[in-house]
Amino acid sequence: MLDIPDPLIGHLADIAEDLSQAVLEGFAADAYRSGQLSRAEVGHLLGHDSVWKTEEFLSRHDAWPSPSLDEVLSDLRHLRSADIP
């Protein structure tokens, strides 16, 4: 739980319509940048229904760490199993 001083709550609510979602998104983007969360974990945390939604989110937040070996292998598995005409 976040402890936000009462005088700031109104101001922060004006800045972000859904403050808890804004804080969660900021945390997710920062944790991804630092390598603490994987792309899949970010998508799960934010309730995304596709990898593309997570990619779009990370792009909007300029979150681009180097992919881990596990992420590269996971992407490769997904590409190999894709039904590409």
Side-chain angles (χ1 to χ4, degrees):
M1 172 169 282
L2 294 175
D3 186 22
I4 300 173
D6 288 339
L8 290 177
I9 291 175
H11 177 67
L12 293 174
D14 290 340
I15 295 171
E17 186 174 307
D18 185 349
L19 183 57
S20 61
Q21 184 66 26
V23 169
L24 183 62
E25 288 179 1
F27 165 77
D30 189 55
Y32 182 73
R33 274 189 217 99
S34 68
Q36 295 173 318
L37 289 179
S38 69
R39 183 182 57 217
E41 290 170 326
V42 169
H44 185 70
L45 178 66
L46 299 178
H48 294 165
D49 55 5
S50 74
V51 68
W52 303 115
K53 197 169 193 176
T54 304
E55 287 292 329
E56 190 272 331
F57 165 81
L58 293 170
S59 175
R60 270 190 291 115
H61 288 84
D62 293 322
W64 303 109
S66 299
S68 69
L69 178 58
D70 288 339
E71 287 178 309
V72 171
L73 293 174
S74 174
D75 289 347
L76 182 58
R77 281 191 298 274
H78 284 97
L79 287 171
R80 285 181 175 160
S81 67
D83 185 21
I84 301 173

